[in-house]
Amino acid sequence: IRKYIFFNSLKELLRAKLIECGWKDQLKAHCKEVIKEKGLEHVTVDDLVAEITPKGRALVPDSVKKELLQRIRTFLAQHASL
């Protein structure tokens, strides 16, 4: 249960950080660009996911990645027996 609570809070932190840094808005704009370029009738959800996933990963700020990694390391160090 501790792991579940930790990862749930980590997920919420990530969501908040991504909204705070404008990641969500940037990705939304990219989706609109892709749909505009290819045409709504010619884009499937799978196509859109394949197109935006690399950009979405690249847009996550290093500071957010480092903070999450540090929190994970701290949790694992404190709960090594789990």
Side-chain angles (χ1 to χ4, degrees):
I1 290 191
R2 244 185 256 161
K3 283 192 271 187
Y4 173 78
I5 292 169
F6 171 73
F7 284 110
N8 223 18
S9 67
L10 202 60
K11 192 167 59 172
E12 289 303 315
L13 174 68
L14 176 60
R15 182 177 288 124
K17 292 286 186 181
L18 292 177
I19 290 169
E20 181 182 299
C21 73
W23 178 88
K24 184 178 175 182
D25 293 333
Q26 289 176 315
L27 213 54
K28 186 176 179 180
H30 184 59
C31 285
K32 288 180 180 181
E33 288 173 25
V34 170
I35 291 170
K36 188 176 180 180
E37 287 173 10
K38 295 187 177 195
L40 184 59
E41 300 79 23
H42 304 289
V43 178
T44 66
V45 173
D46 290 337
D47 293 338
L48 195 55
V49 168
E51 182 83 27
I52 66 167
T53 298
K55 182 154 184 140
R57 288 183 178 147
L59 287 173
V60 176
D62 286 341
S63 61
V64 173
K65 293 176 188 177
K66 287 177 184 175
E67 182 177 352
L68 291 175
L69 184 58
Q70 185 56 47
R71 287 178 183 247
I72 292 168
R73 285 180 176 153
T74 300
F75 177 83
L76 292 175
Q78 292 173 348
H79 301 90
S81 64
L82 294 180

